[in-house]
Amino acid sequence: MCLYRVLVLSVFLSITQAVDRSNFKTCDQSAFCSRQRAMKPGQSSYTALLETLELSDSHLTVQLLNNNNKVLLLLELYRLQGNMTRVKINELKPIKPRYEVPDVLITDPPTELMSVLAQDEHRVVLSLGGEDWRLILSAQPFRLDIMEGPQVLLSLNSRGLLTLELHVWPLFWFSTKPLSFQVSEGEEEEAEEEVDQPGMWEETFKTHADTKPNGPSSISLDFSLPGVEHVYGIPEHADGLKLKNTDGGDPYRLYNLDVFQYELFNPMALYGAVPVLLSHNTHRTMGLFWLNAAETWVDVSSGQVGVCVTGSHTVFFTAPYPRSVTFTLEITCSLAVVGTQAFPPLSSLAYHQCRWNYNDQEDVSAVDQGFDEHDIPYDFIWLDIEHTDGKRYFTWDNNKFPQPKDMLQGLLDKRRKMVTIVDPHIKVDSSYKIHTEIRSRGYYIKNKDGGDYEGWCWPGNAGYPDFTNPEMRKWWASMFAYDQYEGSMENLYTWNDMNEPSVFNGPEVTMHKDALHGPWEHRDIHNLYGFYVQMATAEGQIQRSGGLERPFVLTRAFFAGSQRYGAVWTGDNAAEWGHLKMSIPMCLSLGLVGISFCGADVGGFFKTPSAELLVRWYQAGAYQPFFRAHAHLDTPRREPWLFGPDNTALIREAVRQRYTLLPYWYLQFYHAQRTGQPVMRPLWVEYPEDIATFSIDNEFLIGKDLLVHPVTDERSSGVTAYLPGNGEVWYDVHTFQRHDGAQNLSIPVTMSSIPVFQRGGSIICRKNRVRRSSSCMENDPYTLYVALDSQGNAEGEIYIDDGHTFKHKTDKQFIHRRLSFTANSLSSSDLSPDSQFPTASWVEQVNILGAQKPDAVTLTATDGGESSVEFEFDPDTAVLTLRKPGVNAGVNWTLHLR
């Protein structure tokens, strides 16, 4: 959903041509950002008092002295398992405690011992494990360096930009020459003896005043990463995958905001914020995690990175890995502390049909029937805000949706599902049960004067529940029970929109920073709000099933760790070719920081796509993790069959390709849940030494075995795809033509073209019998695509469970098998012997790409019996097709080519 301008007491529902940038701050308009950005490097006022150093079994502490005002800080340093280092800086004797972000870390990472290797009056050298890994703490000026042998991997405060105002906001400087960055957080002034600067105690933006009763409280810090030129992460921004130099412009901003029809190639804040930055070169990948939920600005400049933040103390993690260790290990260690992507229901990986709004039950039925009539599968149909009784969430409009259970049952009979929107702004209405209960329990956020905070959103005047309160979250979760959410059923799921939070008449279309969440100001927790809304909603779905069923919740606002609760999308995009292109780096960036379940509104939310753009968007969206079409209220209807039979056929084919690959998508999410590996990933993740991949963001990998280069240019007659891997081979999945790796391949395209390649050496399982929904395909057979590498080998996996419950975790009810082709034999072996799950699916066909014609093919089954298998060989494509091996997908078997 998009935020519109509020005039007097009415909301305009007309389509705006572009974002009104005057509604959102620049760094110059942010007092703490402009204050910290004006700092001069090389003038650090902090000294580490080495005589105060204490080293215990778990961590090191040392005091830092601000030489200008004599205020003492406490630095805590931890060596953590997984090759991570944690640093915390706070006042030694805080005037007021700083907010420490709860609930994001799933555990306190285990610590490892540090030892002092050398010490004098100038520095302390600590061991980080291994012969070459060291940390050097320099005293005057204060500085930290992480070393490998003689090489500096990362430096903190090497440019002297550390400033901790006596109560904290974020600024983050990042460099691309040697790489470095500065972080500032909080909103406190430097405790130096100098005249107060504007904005330290009160700040005004447009007509909104931000009072600061605790004074300025920002922190600024710089990091340097010598030898690094490619840095990624800190989503969400509508920009390229590789972060750009911000000299001469605004820093990247992390501050969850409702920004409709956002501009492209712009560092301005959007709906979500994940303060994780990754650096990569041919030698190693490193990660930095700035654990702060307040507004943050990140500068990437020539030779440095700077971060400035408001809020609490600073925490960051680093994980430097040599090139011999994969990116997977680095991201796995980082996600070990915030959690991995939730394993979604299989059906949520299928196609979703959405619009603001489907008008009534008859409209829903007609759209549902239209998909059947045009032979296009779908799994979910969505209802936006107009389905409710006057924007009262957890309700239905009795005139338009008088029998919601009948509607849901009709979908369930076809094994389909529905999503309804439940936003966190609650209509202030004494006859509305949700409002009266929240108010009576004292669960609303308070304004600075202690009354319930109220602002304007879709219902008009609205209250905002305090989701930072565990009791509020528990109550909210209980509202999803079937006896509370009237008309709901087990096939109804949830969409949390507007949860930045969006406040139409608030500063920057969001909540006032001096609003109160118990003892904490909203400025401290702002970027956590959407995280908590999705957390409570997901818990509600789990509870309503007695803990049996996996939830599906889509959120617009997010933070680090949001992946534990569901999916995100890229917000209110537009029907423009540039927005189609931008969907790729935006989702790649999210995947790198742990949020794999990402997609963009197919066709664009605003404006009206041409038939060509719509088709191309379906073709791209079919190969992105979250696949949903969505459109604005004022746009013409755009169901897939409304653009003529030729375009309907093209869209149908794109959607069907998605459904055939659902077993592969499901396997990738199984791995994402276990290891944190991004499902949709940049090429450099799998080819970390190939410099040519470092800046590519117009193509991507799904897992490690499918490479996709969508057509994203109007009237395109060809694309150039980079196929990585010296000595590797890739196969066009449509023609089975073989291509060598490490080349730029020119590909002629027509409107039916979706350039996709399977990596030689891989085995991918598909289900080629596409039905009306994914659940209808549950017991259908598999076709295996065996793409041989240059040595004639291939490996893959198959994963099967019930697709919707937690029994794969609680009862080990799943199948996970290795598929291996070597020495002219294809075999299936068990990867999880202690699990079990019955499946009716069987292997219907095997296609071996890059094969030679055998004389015979035989099957050895579990019982040791041997039978011949029918086959066909195409010499033009070198594809060997084995027909109806007829073996169950969950047992051991071997196919022999003789």
Side-chain angles (χ1 to χ4, degrees):
M1 294 286 304
C2 137
L3 160 68
Y4 292 85
R5 179 177 311 197
V6 178
L7 294 182
V8 194
L9 298 180
S10 64
V11 178
F12 274 136
L13 299 181
S14 59
I15 299 178
T16 310
Q17 291 303 308
V19 62
D20 183 353
R21 294 188 64 180
S22 68
N23 283 331
F24 306 101
K25 286 184 179 181
T26 63
C27 181
D28 289 343
Q29 294 169 313
S30 167
F32 84 88
C33 182
S34 57
R35 190 164 66 243
Q36 303 288 15
R37 210 182 194 196
M39 291 172 57
K40 303 298 183 184
Q43 300 178 8
S44 178
S45 60
Y46 291 92
T47 298
L49 305 179
L50 298 185
E51 65 274 15
T52 67
L53 187 147
E54 295 182 6
L55 182 62
S56 70
D57 289 344
S58 63
H59 69 294
L60 172 151
T61 63
V62 67
Q63 294 178 21
L64 307 180
L65 174 66
N66 185 323
N67 294 295
N68 293 327
N69 58 21
K70 309 309 177 185
V71 171
L72 289 172
L73 307 181
L74 180 66
L75 180 143
E76 301 172 63
L77 192 147
Y78 303 77
R79 177 187 166 206
L80 306 177
Q81 285 185 10
N83 207 19
M84 292 186 287
T85 304
R86 181 178 186 176
V87 174
K88 300 176 68 174
I89 303 176
N90 206 341
E91 295 100 335
L92 182 64
K93 297 179 179 180
I95 299 172
K96 180 180 183 296
R98 296 181 186 273
Y99 183 75
E100 297 196 24
V101 174
D103 301 315
V104 168
L105 303 184
I106 58 174
T107 183
D108 283 329
T111 60
E112 295 186 340
L113 292 176
M114 289 184 292
S115 59
V116 175
L117 299 176
Q119 181 174 358
D120 57 28
E121 67 272 22
H122 302 295
R123 66 176 191 167
V124 175
V125 182
L126 300 163
S127 172
L128 292 179
E131 296 182 0
D132 294 333
W133 294 90
R134 294 168 295 133
L135 185 145
I136 299 177
L137 169 60
S138 300
Q140 178 62 41
F142 161 68
R143 169 174 170 159
L144 287 177
D145 293 291
I146 293 178
M147 311 283 295
E148 181 186 23
Q151 183 177 1
V152 177
L153 303 182
L154 179 144
S155 296
L156 183 154
N157 202 41
S158 63
R159 303 183 71 241
L161 296 177
L162 168 64
T163 297
L164 188 85
E165 297 183 328
L166 290 186
H167 196 98
V168 160
W169 282 83
L171 178 59
F172 171 4
W173 307 95
F174 183 72
S175 156
T176 58
K177 293 258 173 106
L179 180 60
S180 63
F181 74 87
Q182 170 195 353
V183 180
S184 342
E185 83 180 352
E187 182 66 62
E188 256 181 54
E189 127 184 75
E190 302 174 27
E192 301 177 358
E193 297 178 2
E194 55 185 36
V195 177
D196 286 352
Q197 298 179 41
M200 284 185 167
W201 297 91
E202 183 172 89
E203 188 172 353
T204 301
F205 179 67
K206 302 182 83 167
T207 61
H208 300 283
D210 174 22
T211 62
K212 302 177 184 179
N214 298 307
S217 57
S218 72
I219 181 171
S220 172
L221 189 60
D222 66 274
F223 296 80
S224 296
L225 298 163
V228 173
E229 296 182 358
H230 294 82
V231 289
Y232 312 90
I234 57 168
E236 181 180 38
H237 301 96
D239 208 345
L241 177 64
K242 176 187 172 183
L243 299 179
K244 295 181 175 61
N245 189 318
T246 58
D247 284 347
D250 254 19
Y252 288 98
R253 190 185 187 196
L254 295 174
Y255 190 60
N256 295 359
L257 292 172
D258 181 354
V259 184
F260 60 90
Q261 201 169 325
Y262 45 83
E263 291 183 7
L264 306 182
F265 303 106
N266 192 314
M268 69 187 298
L270 291 180
Y271 313 97
V274 183
V276 174
L277 181 141
L278 298 172
S279 68
H280 179 74
N281 61 21
T282 56
H283 299 290
R284 61 183 50 82
T285 301
M286 297 181 65
L288 294 162
F289 179 20
W290 179 267
L291 183 53
N292 191 288
E295 179 184 12
T296 301
W297 299 80
V298 181
D299 245 326
V300 179
S301 60
S302 177
Q304 66 228 336
V305 176
V307 180
C308 98
V309 184
T310 69
S312 66
H313 70 293
T314 167
V315 179
F316 78 86
F317 298 83
T318 71
Y321 283 96
R323 62 178 174 226
S324 60
V325 181
T326 66
F327 166 84
T328 296
L329 183 55
E330 187 279 324
I331 198 68
T332 299
C333 290
S334 298
L335 294 178
V337 297
V338 296
T340 58
Q341 178 68 56
F343 194 23
L346 188 151
S347 58
S348 67
L349 302 178
Y351 175 62
H352 301 248
Q353 181 66 31
C354 184
R355 167 172 190 83
W356 179 23
N357 203 82
Y358 287 118
N359 300 321
D360 49 35
Q361 285 185 217
E362 291 72 22
D363 197 7
V364 169
S365 178
V367 172
D368 175 73
Q369 186 63 32
F371 276 89
D372 292 338
E373 292 174 354
H374 294 90
D375 194 24
I376 301 173
Y378 89 95
D379 271 62
F380 285 80
I381 190 166
W382 293 51
L383 294 180
D384 211 317
I385 57 176
E386 311 303 332
H387 84 278
T388 63
D389 176 14
K391 315 301 188 299
R392 297 170 179 87
Y393 303 108
F394 298 100
T395 71
W396 304 83
D397 184 320
N398 287 328
N399 293 319
K400 297 178 180 179
F401 298 92
Q403 301 293 333
K405 283 193 173 181
D406 290 349
M407 174 179 62
L408 289 166
Q409 186 62 51
L411 294 171
L412 187 61
D413 290 343
K414 294 183 177 182
R415 305 188 74 177
R416 286 172 174 156
K417 301 169 178 66
M418 174 173 279
V419 171
T420 53
I421 197 166
V422 179
D423 287 348
H425 48 259
I426 305 302
K427 183 177 180 66
V428 176
D429 177 357
S430 60
S431 65
Y432 177 29
K433 180 186 74 170
I434 299 294
H435 163 68
T436 57
E437 287 211 31
I438 294 175
R439 173 161 285 180
S440 67
R441 294 168 183 261
Y443 288 163
Y444 277 127
I445 296 168
K446 307 302 179 184
N447 59 37
K448 63 184 176 63
D449 299 317
D452 287 347
Y453 180 92
E454 294 181 0
W456 279 83
C457 208
W458 297 123
N461 197 36
Y464 291 78
D466 185 359
F467 284 90
T468 68
N469 181 346
E471 292 302 314
M472 168 59 210
R473 297 199 300 271
K474 181 179 178 181
W475 178 85
W476 180 267
S478 73
M479 291 298 99
F480 289 91
Y482 299 125
D483 61 350
Q484 294 293 328
Y485 190 172
E486 294 183 11
S488 65
M489 289 177 54
E490 64 269 21
N491 63 329
L492 182 67
Y493 297 85
T494 311
W495 172 17
N496 293 147
D497 197 3
M498 316 296 286
N499 54 339
E500 293 75 26
S502 178
V503 183
F504 290 171
N505 60 339
E508 300 192 89
V509 202
T510 193
M511 188 166 287
H512 292 75
K513 292 174 180 174
D514 54 11
L516 296 173
H517 301 256
W520 303 108
E521 289 187 296
H522 184 73
R523 75 181 76 252
D524 296 314
I525 67 91
H526 175 84
N527 289 342
L528 277 177
Y529 192 78
F531 167 89
Y532 277 130
V533 174
Q534 189 185 25
M535 173 196 288
T537 302
E539 183 58 31
Q541 287 188 13
I542 295 170
Q543 288 180 10
R544 74 179 185 181
S545 70
L548 179 64
E549 298 289 332
R550 287 178 245 168
F552 172 69
V553 181
L554 179 73
T555 182
R556 190 171 70 177
F558 52 84
F559 190 68
S562 287
Q563 63 268 16
R564 307 200 301 262
Y565 305 110
V568 306
W569 92 107
T570 62
D572 297 336
N573 59 2
E576 298 173 355
W577 289 93
H579 279 266
L580 168 57
K581 295 177 198 286
M582 189 57 69
S583 69
I584 299 174
M586 289 182 76
C587 281
L588 287 174
S589 183
L590 283 163
L592 286 176
V593 300
I595 302 177
S596 274
F597 205 176
C598 168
D601 287 344
V602 169
F605 178 67
F606 284 106
K607 301 185 178 180
T608 302
S610 65
E612 180 190 8
L613 175 57
L614 186 65
V615 168
R616 291 302 192 198
W617 214 317
Y618 268 98
Q619 291 171 342
Y623 286 90
Q624 293 179 359
F626 177 56
F627 184 24
R628 181 186 75 154
H630 186 35
H632 186 278
L633 181 73
D634 287 350
T635 63
R637 295 289 286 257
R638 60 169 87 144
E639 283 72 44
W641 52 87
L642 297 179
F643 293 79
D646 290 344
N647 291 312
T648 300
L650 293 170
I651 294 172
R652 178 191 302 116
E653 175 57 24
V655 176
R656 289 174 66 89
Q657 286 186 33
R658 173 57 166 238
Y659 276 73
T660 65
L661 276 170
L662 282 176
Y664 183 73
W665 281 106
Y666 199 50
L667 173 66
Q668 301 313 309
F669 273 90
Y670 173 69
H671 285 307
Q673 170 223 205
R674 293 176 65 214
T675 69
Q677 298 176 52
V679 171
M680 176 181 174
R681 61 189 68 162
L683 273 61
W684 65 259
V685 169
E686 294 296 331
Y687 299 89
E689 297 181 44
D690 186 348
I691 296 175
T693 67
F694 293 1
S695 298
I696 291 177
D697 61 8
N698 60 353
E699 65 184 57
F700 53 90
L701 293 166
I702 304 169
K704 65 180 187 298
D705 296 332
L706 280 183
L707 185 150
V708 186
H709 188 111
V711 181
T712 58
D713 287 314
E714 189 175 12
R715 294 187 293 274
S716 178
S717 59
V719 299
T720 300
Y722 181 70
L723 303 182
N726 189 24
E728 293 201 11
V729 295
W730 295 85
Y731 296 87
D732 186 311
V733 300
H734 308 295
T735 66
F736 304 133
Q737 184 176 354
R738 172 176 164 155
H739 303 279
D740 292 330
Q743 68 157 318
N744 287 299
L745 180 68
S746 296
I747 308 166
V749 298
T750 65
M751 278 303 299
S752 64
S753 301
I754 312 176
V756 182
F757 300 87
Q758 182 174 343
R759 184 182 61 83
S762 67
I763 301 174
I764 289 178
C765 302
R766 298 178 183 243
K767 285 191 172 183
N768 288 337
R769 299 187 185 184
V770 177
R771 304 186 190 274
R772 62 165 49 131
S773 73
S774 64
S775 297
C776 294
M777 300 165 61
E778 178 181 2
N779 295 318
D780 283 350
Y782 291 92
T783 295
L784 311 186
Y785 289 79
V786 182
L788 301 183
D789 63 16
S790 56
Q791 304 301 313
N793 301 318
E795 281 198 352
E797 296 175 23
I798 186 170
Y799 177 84
I800 307 170
D801 63 18
D802 63 23
H804 60 93
T805 75
F806 288 108
K807 289 182 179 179
H808 66 288
K809 292 179 67 176
T810 58
D811 301 332
K812 290 198 169 183
Q813 292 189 13
F814 65 90
I815 294 167
H816 187 200
R817 304 188 68 81
R818 173 181 286 114
L819 303 170
S820 178
F821 187 94
T822 184
N824 284 327
S825 292
L826 174 64
S827 62
S828 173
S829 58
D830 204 340
L831 282 170
S832 183
D834 59 343
S835 66
Q836 57 182 358
F837 181 75
T839 181
S841 295
W842 52 287
V843 179
E844 179 178 41
Q845 184 170 302
V846 177
N847 296 321
I848 304 176
L849 317 183
Q852 296 180 348
K853 183 178 181 181
D855 294 326
V857 178
T858 59
L859 170 68
T860 301
T862 307
D863 59 7
E866 190 169 286
S867 59
S868 62
V869 175
E870 176 186 349
F871 69 90
E872 177 182 321
F873 180 72
D874 184 343
D876 294 330
T877 59
V879 174
L880 175 65
T881 301
L882 314 183
R883 303 191 183 280
K884 296 183 179 179
V887 64
N888 186 276
V891 302
N892 293 338
W893 51 264
T894 304
L895 284 163
H896 305 279
L897 280 58
R898 306 187 189 279

